[in-house]
Amino acid sequence: MNDSLYLMYTQVIRHTRQVISRGLIPALVSLILVSSCSVSFFDINLPTPLQDYQERTLQGTGPEKILIIPIDGVISSEGSSEFLGPNKDSTVAEVAGQLKRAMDDPRITAIILKINSPGGGATASDLIYREIKKFKERRNIPIVAVFMDLAASGGYYIAMAADRVYAHPTTVTGSIGVIFAVLNIKEGLDKIGVKEYSITSGKNKAIGRPTAEMTEEQRQILQTVVDDMYQRFVTVVEAGRPDLNREKILKLADGRIYTANQAKEFGLIDDIGYFDEFVIKTQKLKNYKGTDPDPMLVVYTRSARPIKSIHETSTANVSELNQILRQLAFPGSSAKFYFLWNP
């Protein structure tokens, strides 16, 4: 959030607080004003048609290609738009779109997933995992995952679809688990005299809503959902790390994070090194059918910005202003289950 936007937002918050404290209008109207600003003013959506992917070569001169697909930031199935800027595809759409284009290019001999992510939505992570598995079924070429700074939770989940999992010496990974997080604002609303009335068909229909205390029964219901999703996560790791049995995985998958050295020691990754080394390792895999000693490293992009090295590739949506504002206005509106490390 840049300084001007931050200033405007803080002015709206300050004005609303003053209105509430002076008692000029009901507090409920004040909350509506805040949410209205976050949706109508800050959610300005100037549609910019997304261009087709353009292939950029980072290095190499041969006819064969190794495609690098970056997976950066919080993994999401929802697209977004920059403030006064272009639309952004969701992480799922970006990865699926690039895999689809790669499917039609016989010169691509391998794919490297460059992952730098704390994870994200459970469904979004699972969708990307499935897209990679589908690609592997149709194109028998190596797919490897390379971890950068962070490849936790959903980021690790996605990597389980790869043939090999590599990490940099300073990578943080792990955080195998599920979280359901929702803020509860009932006490705050009580203090300013706001009451929420929901008409439901059953006592658990509005489970997890932020304006009421959660009952023990509701807590247990949500726990069973988290536990079921957790078991799926473990199953995915079990399939992706065949040298680890389920009992060992369950001991490792208590949500903790691991350094690259720890992850290798426990069998969560295959090797530690640097990107250029991983490119060479990829070319030595059994299902690598390329013969060119100097294949091109390529990326797909819709940006006109020049890309000169692998370190400049990214799909991260740096502007999450709209999402942040919606959460501030309606804390329960984005409640979902996450494969996410969020300290």
Side-chain angles (χ1 to χ4, degrees), residues 284-312:
K284 294 180 179 179
L285 294 178
K286 290 182 179 180
N287 57 338
Y288 183 81
K289 299 179 176 62
T291 58
D292 185 0
D294 188 28
M296 292 187 292
L297 293 186
V298 301
V299 294
Y300 295 152
T301 180
R302 290 190 173 109
S303 172
R305 177 179 61 86
I307 302 175
K308 299 179 181 179
S309 76
I310 183 61
H311 305 295
E312 296 180 24

PDB file of all heavy atoms in Angstrom, residues 284-312:
ATOM      1  N   LYS A 284      19.725 -34.807 -15.857  1.00  0.00           N
ATOM      2  CA  LYS A 284      20.253 -36.151 -15.606  1.00  0.00           C
ATOM      3  C   LYS A 284      19.178 -37.140 -15.163  1.00  0.00           C
ATOM      4  O   LYS A 284      19.480 -38.327 -14.947  1.00  0.00           O
ATOM      5  CB  LYS A 284      21.363 -36.080 -14.550  1.00  0.00           C
ATOM      6  CG  LYS A 284      22.606 -35.327 -15.016  1.00  0.00           C
ATOM      7  CD  LYS A 284      23.671 -35.289 -13.934  1.00  0.00           C
ATOM      8  CE  LYS A 284      24.914 -34.553 -14.419  1.00  0.00           C
ATOM      9  NZ  LYS A 284      25.973 -34.492 -13.359  1.00  0.00           N
ATOM     10  N   LEU A 285      17.945 -36.682 -15.034  1.00  0.00           N
ATOM     11  CA  LEU A 285      16.867 -37.573 -14.615  1.00  0.00           C
ATOM     12  C   LEU A 285      16.551 -38.585 -15.722  1.00  0.00           C
ATOM     13  O   LEU A 285      16.726 -38.305 -16.917  1.00  0.00           O
ATOM     14  CB  LEU A 285      15.623 -36.768 -14.263  1.00  0.00           C
ATOM     15  CG  LEU A 285      15.757 -35.846 -13.039  1.00  0.00           C
ATOM     16  CD1 LEU A 285      14.475 -35.052 -12.823  1.00  0.00           C
ATOM     17  CD2 LEU A 285      16.094 -36.654 -11.785  1.00  0.00           C
ATOM     18  N   LYS A 286      16.050 -39.748 -15.328  1.00  0.00           N
ATOM     19  CA  LYS A 286      15.839 -40.840 -16.275  1.00  0.00           C
ATOM     20  C   LYS A 286      14.856 -40.476 -17.384  1.00  0.00           C
ATOM     21  O   LYS A 286      15.025 -40.898 -18.533  1.00  0.00           O
ATOM     22  CB  LYS A 286      15.353 -42.086 -15.528  1.00  0.00           C
ATOM     23  CG  LYS A 286      16.417 -42.731 -14.656  1.00  0.00           C
ATOM     24  CD  LYS A 286      15.874 -43.988 -13.993  1.00  0.00           C
ATOM     25  CE  LYS A 286      16.946 -44.655 -13.140  1.00  0.00           C
ATOM     26  NZ  LYS A 286      16.434 -45.879 -12.476  1.00  0.00           N
ATOM     27  N   ASN A 287      13.812 -39.727 -17.037  1.00  0.00           N
ATOM     28  CA  ASN A 287      12.805 -39.413 -18.053  1.00  0.00           C
ATOM     29  C   ASN A 287      13.094 -38.124 -18.813  1.00  0.00           C
ATOM     30  O   ASN A 287      12.242 -37.613 -19.525  1.00  0.00           O
ATOM     31  CB  ASN A 287      11.406 -39.357 -17.426  1.00  0.00           C
ATOM     32  CG  ASN A 287      11.317 -38.351 -16.274  1.00  0.00           C
ATOM     33  OD1 ASN A 287      12.320 -37.995 -15.675  1.00  0.00           O
ATOM     34  ND2 ASN A 287      10.111 -37.924 -15.960  1.00  0.00           N
ATOM     35  N   TYR A 288      14.312 -37.604 -18.659  1.00  0.00           N
ATOM     36  CA  TYR A 288      14.715 -36.443 -19.453  1.00  0.00           C
ATOM     37  C   TYR A 288      15.204 -36.937 -20.803  1.00  0.00           C
ATOM     38  O   TYR A 288      16.209 -37.652 -20.893  1.00  0.00           O
ATOM     39  CB  TYR A 288      15.815 -35.646 -18.745  1.00  0.00           C
ATOM     40  CG  TYR A 288      16.214 -34.382 -19.485  1.00  0.00           C
ATOM     41  CD1 TYR A 288      15.440 -33.226 -19.373  1.00  0.00           C
ATOM     42  CD2 TYR A 288      17.339 -34.351 -20.308  1.00  0.00           C
ATOM     43  CE1 TYR A 288      15.782 -32.067 -20.055  1.00  0.00           C
ATOM     44  CE2 TYR A 288      17.692 -33.193 -20.981  1.00  0.00           C
ATOM     45  CZ  TYR A 288      16.912 -32.058 -20.859  1.00  0.00           C
ATOM     46  OH  TYR A 288      17.241 -30.912 -21.542  1.00  0.00           O
ATOM     47  N   LYS A 289      14.524 -36.562 -21.868  1.00  0.00           N
ATOM     48  CA  LYS A 289      14.822 -37.080 -23.196  1.00  0.00           C
ATOM     49  C   LYS A 289      15.581 -36.078 -24.069  1.00  0.00           C
ATOM     50  O   LYS A 289      15.811 -36.338 -25.259  1.00  0.00           O
ATOM     51  CB  LYS A 289      13.528 -37.494 -23.895  1.00  0.00           C
ATOM     52  CG  LYS A 289      12.770 -38.596 -23.155  1.00  0.00           C
ATOM     53  CD  LYS A 289      11.487 -38.962 -23.869  1.00  0.00           C
ATOM     54  CE  LYS A 289      10.776 -40.130 -23.194  1.00  0.00           C
ATOM     55  NZ  LYS A 289      10.370 -39.828 -21.822  1.00  0.00           N
ATOM     56  N   GLY A 290      15.949 -34.956 -23.508  1.00  0.00           N
ATOM     57  CA  GLY A 290      16.680 -33.977 -24.282  1.00  0.00           C
ATOM     58  C   GLY A 290      18.097 -34.429 -24.578  1.00  0.00           C
ATOM     59  O   GLY A 290      18.711 -35.163 -23.799  1.00  0.00           O
ATOM     60  N   THR A 291      18.614 -33.961 -25.699  1.00  0.00           N
ATOM     61  CA  THR A 291      19.983 -34.302 -26.095  1.00  0.00           C
ATOM     62  C   THR A 291      20.866 -33.067 -26.248  1.00  0.00           C
ATOM     63  O   THR A 291      22.080 -33.189 -26.397  1.00  0.00           O
ATOM     64  CB  THR A 291      19.965 -35.068 -27.435  1.00  0.00           C
ATOM     65  OG1 THR A 291      19.323 -34.254 -28.434  1.00  0.00           O
ATOM     66  CG2 THR A 291      19.212 -36.388 -27.293  1.00  0.00           C
ATOM     67  N   ASP A 292      20.249 -31.907 -26.196  1.00  0.00           N
ATOM     68  CA  ASP A 292      20.976 -30.654 -26.380  1.00  0.00           C
ATOM     69  C   ASP A 292      21.772 -30.321 -25.117  1.00  0.00           C
ATOM     70  O   ASP A 292      21.203 -30.275 -24.019  1.00  0.00           O
ATOM     71  CB  ASP A 292      19.981 -29.547 -26.692  1.00  0.00           C
ATOM     72  CG  ASP A 292      20.653 -28.224 -27.008  1.00  0.00           C
ATOM     73  OD1 ASP A 292      21.894 -28.164 -26.979  1.00  0.00           O
ATOM     74  OD2 ASP A 292      19.937 -27.251 -27.278  1.00  0.00           O
ATOM     75  N   PRO A 293      23.089 -30.087 -25.214  1.00  0.00           N
ATOM     76  CA  PRO A 293      23.885 -29.764 -24.017  1.00  0.00           C
ATOM     77  C   PRO A 293      23.609 -28.373 -23.451  1.00  0.00           C
ATOM     78  O   PRO A 293      23.962 -28.085 -22.317  1.00  0.00           O
ATOM     79  CB  PRO A 293      25.327 -29.879 -24.509  1.00  0.00           C
ATOM     80  CG  PRO A 293      25.248 -29.607 -25.978  1.00  0.00           C
ATOM     81  CD  PRO A 293      23.932 -30.169 -26.423  1.00  0.00           C
ATOM     82  N   ASP A 294      23.010 -27.502 -24.262  1.00  0.00           N
ATOM     83  CA  ASP A 294      22.753 -26.136 -23.803  1.00  0.00           C
ATOM     84  C   ASP A 294      21.301 -25.729 -24.096  1.00  0.00           C
ATOM     85  O   ASP A 294      21.042 -24.838 -24.900  1.00  0.00           O
ATOM     86  CB  ASP A 294      23.726 -25.165 -24.488  1.00  0.00           C
ATOM     87  CG  ASP A 294      23.636 -23.757 -23.901  1.00  0.00           C
ATOM     88  OD1 ASP A 294      23.273 -23.629 -22.716  1.00  0.00           O
ATOM     89  OD2 ASP A 294      23.911 -22.789 -24.637  1.00  0.00           O
ATOM     90  N   PRO A 295      20.333 -26.380 -23.422  1.00  0.00           N
ATOM     91  CA  PRO A 295      18.926 -26.044 -23.695  1.00  0.00           C
ATOM     92  C   PRO A 295      18.607 -24.628 -23.210  1.00  0.00           C
ATOM     93  O   PRO A 295      19.241 -24.106 -22.296  1.00  0.00           O
ATOM     94  CB  PRO A 295      18.155 -27.088 -22.882  1.00  0.00           C
ATOM     95  CG  PRO A 295      19.072 -27.433 -21.762  1.00  0.00           C
ATOM     96  CD  PRO A 295      20.460 -27.378 -22.349  1.00  0.00           C
ATOM     97  N   MET A 296      17.613 -24.046 -23.821  1.00  0.00           N
ATOM     98  CA  MET A 296      17.179 -22.720 -23.399  1.00  0.00           C
ATOM     99  C   MET A 296      16.354 -22.828 -22.119  1.00  0.00           C
ATOM    100  O   MET A 296      15.489 -23.684 -21.999  1.00  0.00           O
ATOM    101  CB  MET A 296      16.335 -22.056 -24.494  1.00  0.00           C
ATOM    102  CG  MET A 296      17.103 -21.697 -25.737  1.00  0.00           C
ATOM    103  SD  MET A 296      16.074 -20.720 -26.904  1.00  0.00           S
ATOM    104  CE  MET A 296      14.876 -21.948 -27.404  1.00  0.00           C
ATOM    105  N   LEU A 297      16.631 -21.930 -21.172  1.00  0.00           N
ATOM    106  CA  LEU A 297      15.755 -21.765 -20.014  1.00  0.00           C
ATOM    107  C   LEU A 297      14.761 -20.673 -20.376  1.00  0.00           C
ATOM    108  O   LEU A 297      15.146 -19.543 -20.675  1.00  0.00           O
ATOM    109  CB  LEU A 297      16.550 -21.349 -18.777  1.00  0.00           C
ATOM    110  CG  LEU A 297      17.528 -22.362 -18.190  1.00  0.00           C
ATOM    111  CD1 LEU A 297      18.111 -21.829 -16.883  1.00  0.00           C
ATOM    112  CD2 LEU A 297      16.885 -23.703 -17.968  1.00  0.00           C
ATOM    113  N   VAL A 298      13.469 -21.006 -20.356  1.00  0.00           N
ATOM    114  CA  VAL A 298      12.457 -20.057 -20.799  1.00  0.00           C
ATOM    115  C   VAL A 298      11.399 -19.857 -19.721  1.00  0.00           C
ATOM    116  O   VAL A 298      11.198 -20.710 -18.846  1.00  0.00           O
ATOM    117  CB  VAL A 298      11.781 -20.522 -22.111  1.00  0.00           C
ATOM    118  CG1 VAL A 298      12.809 -20.683 -23.222  1.00  0.00           C
ATOM    119  CG2 VAL A 298      11.006 -21.819 -21.899  1.00  0.00           C
ATOM    120  N   VAL A 299      10.736 -18.711 -19.785  1.00  0.00           N
ATOM    121  CA  VAL A 299       9.599 -18.420 -18.930  1.00  0.00           C
ATOM    122  C   VAL A 299       8.483 -17.871 -19.804  1.00  0.00           C
ATOM    123  O   VAL A 299       8.726 -17.354 -20.894  1.00  0.00           O
ATOM    124  CB  VAL A 299       9.943 -17.385 -17.826  1.00  0.00           C
ATOM    125  CG1 VAL A 299      10.948 -17.949 -16.849  1.00  0.00           C
ATOM    126  CG2 VAL A 299      10.440 -16.080 -18.438  1.00  0.00           C
ATOM    127  N   TYR A 300       7.260 -17.992 -19.313  1.00  0.00           N
ATOM    128  CA  TYR A 300       6.113 -17.373 -19.968  1.00  0.00           C
ATOM    129  C   TYR A 300       5.714 -16.155 -19.156  1.00  0.00           C
ATOM    130  O   TYR A 300       5.651 -16.206 -17.929  1.00  0.00           O
ATOM    131  CB  TYR A 300       4.931 -18.336 -20.029  1.00  0.00           C
ATOM    132  CG  TYR A 300       5.152 -19.561 -20.885  1.00  0.00           C
ATOM    133  CD1 TYR A 300       4.480 -20.750 -20.602  1.00  0.00           C
ATOM    134  CD2 TYR A 300       5.993 -19.542 -21.991  1.00  0.00           C
ATOM    135  CE1 TYR A 300       4.660 -21.878 -21.374  1.00  0.00           C
ATOM    136  CE2 TYR A 300       6.182 -20.664 -22.770  1.00  0.00           C
ATOM    137  CZ  TYR A 300       5.508 -21.841 -22.458  1.00  0.00           C
ATOM    138  OH  TYR A 300       5.690 -22.954 -23.233  1.00  0.00           O
ATOM    139  N   THR A 301       5.432 -15.067 -19.845  1.00  0.00           N
ATOM    140  CA  THR A 301       5.058 -13.844 -19.142  1.00  0.00           C
ATOM    141  C   THR A 301       4.075 -13.039 -19.981  1.00  0.00           C
ATOM    142  O   THR A 301       4.053 -13.154 -21.209  1.00  0.00           O
ATOM    143  CB  THR A 301       6.298 -12.989 -18.829  1.00  0.00           C
ATOM    144  OG1 THR A 301       5.905 -11.794 -18.147  1.00  0.00           O
ATOM    145  CG2 THR A 301       7.041 -12.616 -20.093  1.00  0.00           C
ATOM    146  N   ARG A 302       3.285 -12.226 -19.310  1.00  0.00           N
ATOM    147  CA  ARG A 302       2.410 -11.275 -19.994  1.00  0.00           C
ATOM    148  C   ARG A 302       2.933  -9.851 -19.826  1.00  0.00           C
ATOM    149  O   ARG A 302       2.315  -8.910 -20.271  1.00  0.00           O
ATOM    150  CB  ARG A 302       0.992 -11.365 -19.429  1.00  0.00           C
ATOM    151  CG  ARG A 302       0.247 -12.641 -19.785  1.00  0.00           C
ATOM    152  CD  ARG A 302      -1.199 -12.518 -19.382  1.00  0.00           C
ATOM    153  NE  ARG A 302      -1.989 -13.635 -19.833  1.00  0.00           N
ATOM    154  CZ  ARG A 302      -2.487 -14.563 -19.031  1.00  0.00           C
ATOM    155  NH1 ARG A 302      -2.250 -14.504 -17.729  1.00  0.00           N
ATOM    156  NH2 ARG A 302      -3.227 -15.546 -19.506  1.00  0.00           N
ATOM    157  N   SER A 303       4.045  -9.711 -19.144  1.00  0.00           N
ATOM    158  CA  SER A 303       4.593  -8.394 -18.866  1.00  0.00           C
ATOM    159  C   SER A 303       5.563  -7.978 -19.966  1.00  0.00           C
ATOM    160  O   SER A 303       6.289  -8.809 -20.528  1.00  0.00           O
ATOM    161  CB  SER A 303       5.315  -8.401 -17.511  1.00  0.00           C
ATOM    162  OG  SER A 303       6.013  -7.194 -17.305  1.00  0.00           O
ATOM    163  N   ALA A 304       5.574  -6.669 -20.246  1.00  0.00           N
ATOM    164  CA  ALA A 304       6.530  -6.148 -21.220  1.00  0.00           C
ATOM    165  C   ALA A 304       7.891  -5.891 -20.581  1.00  0.00           C
ATOM    166  O   ALA A 304       8.849  -5.568 -21.263  1.00  0.00           O
ATOM    167  CB  ALA A 304       5.994  -4.854 -21.832  1.00  0.00           C
ATOM    168  N   ARG A 305       7.953  -6.028 -19.264  1.00  0.00           N
ATOM    169  CA  ARG A 305       9.211  -5.780 -18.553  1.00  0.00           C
ATOM    170  C   ARG A 305      10.271  -6.802 -18.957  1.00  0.00           C
ATOM    171  O   ARG A 305      10.011  -8.001 -18.958  1.00  0.00           O
ATOM    172  CB  ARG A 305       8.966  -5.862 -17.038  1.00  0.00           C
ATOM    173  CG  ARG A 305      10.214  -5.693 -16.192  1.00  0.00           C
ATOM    174  CD  ARG A 305       9.852  -5.775 -14.711  1.00  0.00           C
ATOM    175  NE  ARG A 305       9.273  -7.050 -14.361  1.00  0.00           N
ATOM    176  CZ  ARG A 305       9.985  -8.126 -14.021  1.00  0.00           C
ATOM    177  NH1 ARG A 305      11.316  -8.068 -14.006  1.00  0.00           N
ATOM    178  NH2 ARG A 305       9.387  -9.245 -13.697  1.00  0.00           N
ATOM    179  N   PRO A 306      11.469  -6.350 -19.303  1.00  0.00           N
ATOM    180  CA  PRO A 306      12.530  -7.299 -19.664  1.00  0.00           C
ATOM    181  C   PRO A 306      12.871  -8.220 -18.496  1.00  0.00           C
ATOM    182  O   PRO A 306      12.865  -7.800 -17.336  1.00  0.00           O
ATOM    183  CB  PRO A 306      13.720  -6.386 -20.007  1.00  0.00           C
ATOM    184  CG  PRO A 306      13.119  -5.057 -20.300  1.00  0.00           C
ATOM    185  CD  PRO A 306      11.909  -4.942 -19.437  1.00  0.00           C
ATOM    186  N   ILE A 307      13.126  -9.477 -18.782  1.00  0.00           N
ATOM    187  CA  ILE A 307      13.549 -10.445 -17.771  1.00  0.00           C
ATOM    188  C   ILE A 307      14.934 -10.925 -18.155  1.00  0.00           C
ATOM    189  O   ILE A 307      15.117 -11.560 -19.197  1.00  0.00           O
ATOM    190  CB  ILE A 307      12.562 -11.626 -17.694  1.00  0.00           C
ATOM    191  CG1 ILE A 307      11.156 -11.115 -17.363  1.00  0.00           C
ATOM    192  CG2 ILE A 307      13.009 -12.641 -16.655  1.00  0.00           C
ATOM    193  CD1 ILE A 307      10.095 -12.197 -17.373  1.00  0.00           C
ATOM    194  N   LYS A 308      15.909 -10.621 -17.319  1.00  0.00           N
ATOM    195  CA  LYS A 308      17.294 -10.906 -17.663  1.00  0.00           C
ATOM    196  C   LYS A 308      17.857 -12.129 -16.950  1.00  0.00           C
ATOM    197  O   LYS A 308      18.865 -12.678 -17.373  1.00  0.00           O
ATOM    198  CB  LYS A 308      18.160  -9.685 -17.346  1.00  0.00           C
ATOM    199  CG  LYS A 308      17.768  -8.438 -18.133  1.00  0.00           C
ATOM    200  CD  LYS A 308      18.641  -7.262 -17.755  1.00  0.00           C
ATOM    201  CE  LYS A 308      18.229  -6.005 -18.525  1.00  0.00           C
ATOM    202  NZ  LYS A 308      19.052  -4.826 -18.154  1.00  0.00           N
ATOM    203  N   SER A 309      17.229 -12.540 -15.830  1.00  0.00           N
ATOM    204  CA  SER A 309      17.741 -13.703 -15.097  1.00  0.00           C
ATOM    205  C   SER A 309      16.606 -14.406 -14.393  1.00  0.00           C
ATOM    206  O   SER A 309      15.499 -13.868 -14.254  1.00  0.00           O
ATOM    207  CB  SER A 309      18.810 -13.284 -14.077  1.00  0.00           C
ATOM    208  OG  SER A 309      18.206 -12.692 -12.940  1.00  0.00           O
ATOM    209  N   ILE A 310      16.892 -15.592 -13.908  1.00  0.00           N
ATOM    210  CA  ILE A 310      15.894 -16.392 -13.201  1.00  0.00           C
ATOM    211  C   ILE A 310      15.419 -15.692 -11.943  1.00  0.00           C
ATOM    212  O   ILE A 310      14.287 -15.874 -11.493  1.00  0.00           O
ATOM    213  CB  ILE A 310      16.485 -17.785 -12.862  1.00  0.00           C
ATOM    214  CG1 ILE A 310      15.414 -18.649 -12.178  1.00  0.00           C
ATOM    215  CG2 ILE A 310      17.690 -17.662 -11.954  1.00  0.00           C
ATOM    216  CD1 ILE A 310      14.212 -18.895 -13.035  1.00  0.00           C
ATOM    217  N   HIS A 311      16.250 -14.844 -11.370  1.00  0.00           N
ATOM    218  CA  HIS A 311      15.900 -14.175 -10.111  1.00  0.00           C
ATOM    219  C   HIS A 311      14.862 -13.070 -10.310  1.00  0.00           C
ATOM    220  O   HIS A 311      14.316 -12.555  -9.338  1.00  0.00           O
ATOM    221  CB  HIS A 311      17.160 -13.609  -9.458  1.00  0.00           C
ATOM    222  CG  HIS A 311      18.231 -14.636  -9.259  1.00  0.00           C
ATOM    223  ND1 HIS A 311      18.065 -15.716  -8.413  1.00  0.00           N
ATOM    224  CD2 HIS A 311      19.464 -14.757  -9.809  1.00  0.00           C
ATOM    225  CE1 HIS A 311      19.166 -16.465  -8.449  1.00  0.00           C
ATOM    226  NE2 HIS A 311      20.024 -15.900  -9.285  1.00  0.00           N
ATOM    227  N   GLU A 312      14.573 -12.713 -11.547  1.00  0.00           N
ATOM    228  CA  GLU A 312      13.588 -11.671 -11.824  1.00  0.00           C
ATOM    229  C   GLU A 312      12.210 -12.252 -12.127  1.00  0.00           C
ATOM    230  O   GLU A 312      11.257 -11.516 -12.321  1.00  0.00           O
ATOM    231  CB  GLU A 312      14.049 -10.817 -13.012  1.00  0.00           C
ATOM    232  CG  GLU A 312      15.336 -10.053 -12.757  1.00  0.00           C
ATOM    233  CD  GLU A 312      15.756  -9.226 -13.957  1.00  0.00           C
ATOM    234  OE1 GLU A 312      14.886  -8.886 -14.772  1.00  0.00           O
ATOM    235  OE2 GLU A 312      16.953  -8.943 -14.094  1.00  0.00           O
TER     236      GLU A 312
END
